[in-house]
Amino acid sequence: MLYPEILSPAGSVESLYAAVNAGCDAVYMGGSMFGARAYAQNPGCEELAGAIRYCHLYNVKLYLTVNTLLKDSEINSLYEYIKPYYEAGLDAAIVQDTGVLRLLHRWFPDLKLHASTQMALVTGQSADMLKKYGVTRIIPARELSLLELKQIRSVTDIETEVFVHGALCYCYSGQCLFSGMSGTRSGNRGRCTQPCRLPYITSYQGKEKESYILSMKELCALPYIGKLIEAGVSSFKIEGRMKRPAYTAFVTSMYRKYINLYIKLGKDGYSRYIQDNRKKLLDDMELLAEVYNRQGFTCGYLEDMNKTGQKGDMLASMRPNHGGVYIGEVTDAGRTRLKYKLAKDIKAHDVIEFRNSKMKPLYEYTTGSDKKAGEIAETKFTKGCIINKKDKVYRTRNASVLGSIKNEYIDKNKKVIITGRFEAAAGERACLSVKKNIAGSGTDSSTECNIEAIVYGDICERAQKSAASEETVKKSILQTGDTEFEFRKLEVLIDKDLFLPVSQLKNLRRQALDKLRDKITGSYARKAPHIPDSIENSAIITANNLCYTYKASVMTMPQLDAVLNNSTADIAEVYIKTELLTEKDIQEALLKVKSSGRRCYIVMPHIFRQSIWNYEQQCAASGKSIYTQPWDGYIIRNFEEYIFLTKVLGIDACNIITDSGLYIMNHSAASFWEEQGITRHTAPFELEISDMKNIAASSDIEAVIYTHIPLMVSAQCTIHNINACKKTSGADGSNIIMRGTDGREFITVNYCKYCYNTIYQSEPLSVVNYVKDLSDIGINSFRYDFTIEGAEDTDRVLSGKYSGKTHTGHYFSSIR
């Protein structure tokens, strides 16, 4: 059977070496541009090309992260950026931007492309569409359950890559604007400031509470390895490009250990092993926690959280950084000295931290000696620190574990195992051949070949004095020293009484290893296709004399009535969102809009998971689908909805508009969707007006001129996490106010119909007074997007009488 690949993070060259040493099958790494971890120690061009060649020596693949959104001004540098890595043998590129996807496939047709988790794919339904653009693997959203991962495998043969360990985002990846809208550093551009790791005060039903309400625990899927393999997952991905080499090495080695056990024992044998060795599994998970955890681990969404989850059990709500491991409790505390009883052994050079009941750190120190569990340890602490009896004690640095990792995976590099044959006969040239077996790994385990290098020395002569022996020949050739190679076997066939100088033998060894290295890395090399000087033709902006079209999207019936009754804004088209409306409400809304003489569109949900797909497919089969009503068009927010409308319902793509979250950030992204038949798009919130010119010149672009920007769309349920899930317990589902330490407010709304919640900016975006600026670059469709407004505020906005504070987002300020 094909076994899953272990895909390790390489935020630096040192981490790459650590991952290879620990037994990974592939690494993912960013370069100097266009990667989602701009602040990692990403290598430069020559160093990255060298890293690709280094990985190939060990039969390890390297995937380059090109998983950010690019502006048109950046697209022209993309080809030259990718070219040297492609020629060095780059194994795949991980991509978010559909414009980048389209161009990379056009320029490098044989380069494998992986659809990033930033695309927020939640089913396998779009696989066939993506395959046309060179996509060989999808990285689904981290919010999927084991059942949903199996369902992906049931509808497509495309590879799947699943995160199994490391940090989790609160938001669906790719749908987060929190960082970008809080300043100028966008998560979609690789510069996330991690606002989800900050504390917030939540106000709900008159009660306030401060916590890290958006901070998720670290994922650990070690107990689910068997189930993930059986679900058909192709690649096990470890998060952590911002973490240290020791983390990368140890996590990789642990997953290597358990995957190898599964391969050795098989499905039933592995299941019995885990049952019989539960304590060993838990001990290994604790070792992982010693290296890094956030208030413990979570299995994430692999199990159905609606059935098994307790409120907040995925959150590190009390501490957003490394949690360490509990080792004891304070038994006595004075003004400057304390004692604590150990629940675990400690070693010299461990770092110990004392915390109160709210997990707030009080004091830390480095131990000077070893002590056993059950013993009493004693230490001084800084005067003024308030430490009390029964405060908890944690170890945040395990010197012994880190020392072992350093010795095994950091200080010495893995060797490439080779075999050799040396032949020498009087009157003939000495010959050394070295060979490496290239066995497939991970998803390519069926491939296998040998690469051989042969070099020749001088013509051999008879010895006048001491003759060479098999032992002396081996001693000279087997000394591979600091090279990447190590002989498993060397066969020596020589005549008796030959003179074979040691210098010649060592020179042959150097030549053979250099030649083998070049042949191995050269077997991956290729020549980049030539492309025309004009990479992507831009349309010429012509004079714009078209009339303006104003539109309004609504989420509630009172908002709809306010739109229809307003005579100031001249709304020509109305978009109906479905999150808060019943099917009866939706049909009534459609009738009202049509009766008013306006065009009416339906806005599909932010996330269209398999359960929603199945439900809507059943409705369509019985003739009761809301999407088969006489709509004038559809606004889609994800790939699944495009496939559902066009393939299941037979809707003509020309009636579809892409929403802002599909990120038409460049001309090529618009072209991607136009190749699918969609010609109308919504401008993304992170694009400056000056950057929209090229897109608006040749595409029908609609701009949102008023809205509360959705900063996050999450599978988490804020009400569930602080109170009780509205959908299952009937608790009040009113909005939650979140306030940051800087005083800014946000509004969280639960949409139980689709089981996601959205965090909105409290202060709305408004560029109503800048319509002329947008029109000057070719945009003539303008949308008022209503979300949390009541009827009165809706009317005030449309009438130009809204007096609240607003902002202009990034329409006039560039984002990084």
Side-chain angles (χ1 to χ4, degrees):
M1 64 176 293
L2 297 182
Y3 59 90
E5 164 190 272
I6 295 179
L7 176 58
S8 299
S12 66
V13 173
E14 290 74 23
S15 288
L16 181 146
Y17 295 155
V20 172
N21 293 338
C24 72
D25 298 300
V27 297
Y28 62 105
M29 191 174 209
S32 59
M33 302 167 71
F34 311 139
R37 293 293 182 272
Y39 300 114
Q41 297 175 36
N42 299 312
C45 182
E46 287 300 321
E47 197 173 22
L48 180 53
I52 293 170
R53 290 188 284 268
Y54 180 85
C55 285
H56 289 162
L57 281 176
Y58 296 91
N59 200 30
V60 170
K61 297 174 183 176
L62 190 147
Y63 307 144
L64 180 65
T65 57
V66 196
N67 54 342
T68 56
L69 303 175
L70 273 62
K71 300 177 183 180
D72 267 322
S73 58
E74 298 162 327
I75 284 285
N76 285 341
S77 61
L78 180 62
Y79 174 82
E80 291 299 331
Y81 172 67
I82 296 294
K83 180 181 176 183
Y85 310 135
Y86 173 85
E87 293 187 332
L90 178 65
D91 295 286
I94 303 172
V95 178
Q96 173 189 10
D97 190 322
T98 52
V100 172
L101 179 73
R102 174 178 171 271
L103 290 175
L104 288 184
H105 184 55
R106 174 184 292 184
W107 297 335
F108 309 101
D110 61 338
L111 177 63
K112 292 181 179 181
L113 301 175
H114 296 173
S116 171
T117 191
Q118 294 287 112
M119 286 187 174
L121 300 173
V122 292
T123 74
Q125 303 292 348
S126 59
D128 287 343
M129 177 177 75
L130 294 171
K131 281 180 181 179
K132 294 187 295 184
Y133 292 88
V135 173
T136 60
R137 175 183 294 184
I138 61 174
I139 310 168
R142 301 178 219 209
E143 288 77 5
L144 300 194
S145 66
L146 279 165
L147 176 60
E148 287 170 305
L149 294 173
K150 288 180 181 178
Q151 289 170 335
I152 291 177
R153 174 57 57 232
S154 70
V155 299
T156 179
D157 60 354
I158 202 167
E159 291 182 357
T160 54
E161 177 180 304
V162 173
F163 283 91
V164 295
H165 200 94
L168 287 171
C169 294
Y170 185 86
C171 181
Y172 279 95
S173 294
Q175 296 300 302
C176 184
L177 302 177
F178 211 140
S179 178
M181 290 300 157
S182 298
T184 61
R185 292 164 53 182
S186 168
N188 284 315
R189 306 261 297 159
R191 293 175 170 83
C192 181
T193 58
Q194 294 198 309
C196 55
R197 301 298 180 188
L198 298 176
Y200 295 91
I201 297 171
T202 52
S203 298
Y204 178 69
Q205 294 181 335
K207 297 179 181 179
E208 288 195 345
K209 179 182 179 181
E210 183 175 355
S211 68
Y212 296 92
I213 188 66
L214 305 181
S215 181
M216 303 285 282
K217 292 179 181 179
E218 293 284 292
L219 171 67
C220 178
L222 202 67
Y224 292 85
I225 279 181
K227 291 182 179 180
L228 286 164
I229 293 175
E230 290 147 23
V233 173
S234 311
S235 179
F236 283 18
K237 187 171 194 173
I238 299 165
E239 183 278 337
R241 279 191 289 150
M242 298 297 290
K243 296 189 174 91
R244 297 167 301 168
Y247 168 91
T248 299
F250 193 64
V251 177
T252 299
S253 69
M254 195 63 77
Y255 281 84
R256 176 83 282 155
K257 170 184 172 180
Y258 280 88
I259 288 176
N260 284 353
L261 273 172
Y262 187 97
I263 294 167
K264 177 182 177 181
L265 301 175
K267 177 181 176 180
D268 294 337
Y270 182 80
S271 179
R272 287 192 298 270
Y273 175 87
I274 294 299
Q275 289 175 7
D276 296 341
N277 294 273
R278 187 70 183 172
K279 184 179 182 303
K280 179 171 281 193
L281 174 64
L282 294 176
D283 288 345
D284 282 343
M285 290 178 66
E286 184 165 289
L287 287 173
L288 287 169
E290 295 271 16
V291 175
Y292 200 89
N293 75 87
R294 278 190 175 94
Q295 208 175 313
F297 287 128
T298 175
C299 69
Y301 298 90
L302 291 175
E303 299 288 356
D304 187 338
M305 63 178 290
N306 289 322
K307 294 179 180 178
T308 63
Q310 299 297 316
K311 61 180 180 180
D313 68 343
M314 291 191 201
L315 297 182
S317 59
M318 300 177 75
R319 183 184 175 97
N321 50 6
H322 178 38
V325 171
Y326 173 80
I327 61 159
E329 183 174 282
V330 175
T331 57
D332 186 34
R335 295 180 62 189
T336 59
R337 295 193 69 85
L338 63 80
K339 295 179 180 179
Y340 60 99
K341 186 174 182 179
L342 290 167
K344 296 182 185 298
D345 295 351
I346 60 172
K347 300 284 187 181
H349 309 299
D350 285 354
V351 175
I352 307 300
E353 185 177 274
F354 301 90
R355 301 176 195 162
N356 63 18
S357 59
K358 294 183 178 180
M359 295 288 283
K360 182 180 178 180
L362 306 171
Y363 178 74
E364 76 169 23
Y365 82 106
T366 302
T367 58
S369 60
D370 299 354
K371 283 193 175 293
K372 296 288 187 182
E375 293 182 0
I376 300 294
E378 186 173 353
T379 185
K380 295 179 181 180
F381 64 92
T382 304
K383 186 176 180 180
C385 292
I386 301 174
I387 302 178
N388 297 308
K389 188 177 180 179
K390 292 192 178 299
D391 280 342
K392 307 304 179 186
V393 188
Y394 289 80
R395 176 170 51 211
T396 57
R397 183 181 187 275
N398 188 318
S400 176
V401 169
L402 292 177
S404 296
I405 296 170
K406 185 173 184 292
N407 291 336
E408 191 165 355
Y409 303 117
I410 308 298
D411 289 346
K412 57 183 180 182
N413 286 335
K414 189 177 181 180
K415 293 292 186 178
V416 179
I417 303 303
I418 58 175
T419 58
R421 180 185 177 97
F422 178 78
E423 296 180 79
E428 297 181 9
R429 297 176 68 187
C431 175
L432 175 62
S433 66
V434 290
K435 184 185 297 185
K436 179 184 185 295
N437 177 261
I438 308 290
S441 62
T443 55
D444 289 336
S445 59
S446 60
T447 61
E448 186 171 328
C449 65
N450 291 316
I451 292 182
E452 185 176 23
I454 302 175
V455 294
Y456 295 91
D458 297 334
I459 294 175
C460 300
E461 298 178 355
R462 296 290 180 184
Q464 299 297 317
K465 294 182 179 179
S466 57
S469 66
E470 181 178 339
E471 289 72 23
T472 58
V473 170
K474 283 187 175 181
K475 182 178 180 181
S476 297
I477 294 177
L478 292 176
Q479 291 177 2
T480 55
D482 293 334
T483 72
E484 305 93 335
F485 300 100
E486 180 177 292
F487 282 93
R488 174 176 291 157
K489 178 183 177 183
L490 176 64
E491 187 178 6
V492 176
L493 301 173
I494 58 174
D495 285 356
K496 292 181 179 180
D497 302 326
L498 282 183
F499 173 60
L500 296 172
V502 171
S503 59
Q504 177 181 316
L505 294 173
K506 290 184 176 181
N507 190 46
L508 280 173
R509 181 197 68 217
R510 282 192 294 269
Q511 290 179 25
L513 297 185
D514 287 345
K515 188 172 183 179
L516 181 62
R517 182 186 300 107
D518 290 343
K519 288 192 75 171
I520 293 171
T521 58
S523 67
Y524 293 87
R526 57 204 164 187
K527 187 71 175 172
H530 173 73
I531 64 164
D533 293 336
S534 177
I535 290 178
E536 184 75 1
N537 292 326
S538 301
I540 298 173
I541 299 176
T542 56
N544 187 354
N545 298 311
L546 297 175
C547 297
Y548 300 164
T549 301
Y550 288 95
K551 309 175 181 185
S553 64
V554 299
M555 192 165 270
T556 66
M557 295 303 282
Q559 289 173 355
L560 176 62
D561 290 338
V563 168
L564 297 181
N565 293 330
N566 183 278
S567 58
T568 305
D570 192 24
I571 300 298
E573 298 178 357
V574 178
Y575 297 175
I576 306 298
K577 297 181 182 179
T578 62
E579 282 92 337
L580 295 177
L581 300 178
T582 65
E583 293 187 5
K584 182 179 178 182
D585 290 336
I586 294 169
Q587 291 178 354
E588 181 183 343
L590 174 61
L591 181 60
K592 280 186 174 184
V593 175
K594 289 284 193 177
S595 298
S596 72
R598 297 173 173 89
R599 292 168 61 81
C600 194
Y601 294 69
I602 188 168
V603 183
M604 300 186 77
H606 275 288
I607 307 295
F608 204 74
R609 290 173 77 152
Q610 191 65 50
S611 58
I612 303 300
W613 176 292
N614 293 342
Y615 172 77
E616 295 297 347
Q617 191 171 35
Q618 290 171 5
C619 290
S622 62
K624 298 178 180 179
S625 173
I626 57 172
Y627 298 112
T628 56
Q629 302 299 314
W631 302 102
D632 293 296
Y634 303 80
I635 290 80
I636 63 167
R637 292 160 159 177
N638 50 65
F639 288 82
E640 283 81 13
E641 289 165 356
Y642 168 78
I643 300 296
F644 183 80
L645 290 177
T646 57
K647 304 302 181 185
V648 177
L649 299 186
I651 301 296
D652 194 321
C654 69
N655 294 318
I656 298 174
I657 302 172
T658 63
D659 205 8
S660 59
L662 282 169
Y663 300 121
I664 309 302
M665 292 285 285
N666 53 67
H667 180 265
S668 181
S671 297
F672 172 90
W673 284 107
E674 283 155 16
E675 288 166 3
Q676 318 314 317
I678 299 178
T679 58
R680 292 179 289 172
H681 314 288
T682 308
F685 290 116
E686 293 188 325
L687 199 61
E688 195 176 359
I689 283 181
S690 59
D691 292 316
M692 296 180 190
K693 284 184 180 180
N694 193 45
I695 310 169
S698 58
S699 300
D700 187 351
I701 300 295
E702 178 175 308
V704 176
I705 57 173
Y706 172 87
T707 193
H708 289 270
I709 293 178
L711 301 179
M712 284 185 166
V713 178
S714 177
Q716 284 292 303
C717 175
T718 309
I719 291 178
H720 176 87
N721 287 341
I722 69 171
N723 185 57
C725 180
K726 175 186 174 185
K727 191 172 182 180
T728 57
S729 69
D732 179 22
S734 59
N735 301 345
I736 296 174
I737 305 298
M738 280 179 19
R739 187 169 69 253
T741 54
D742 58 1
R744 288 183 302 165
E745 287 193 348
F746 310 93
I747 300 173
T748 300
V749 183
N750 280 39
Y751 298 120
C752 293
K753 182 193 293 188
Y754 302 117
C755 207
Y756 60 73
N757 73 223
T758 302
I759 299 176
Y760 295 99
Q761 276 186 317
S762 179
E763 183 182 322
L765 164 87
S766 179
V767 290
V768 175
N769 295 329
Y770 299 95
V771 164
K772 177 65 166 58
D773 298 83
L774 290 162
S775 180
D776 286 345
I777 64 164
I779 295 177
N780 292 284
S781 295
F782 310 105
R783 187 196 310 177
Y784 294 90
D785 181 20
F786 296 107
T787 52
I788 57 176
E789 295 82 1
E792 290 184 1
D793 274 348
T794 301
D795 183 67
R796 289 191 188 103
V797 170
L798 293 172
S799 301
K801 298 178 180 179
Y802 182 76
S803 59
K805 188 178 180 182
T806 62
H807 65 91
T808 57
H810 286 289
Y811 277 103
F812 299 99
S813 63
S814 182
I815 201 161
R816 291 189 290 155

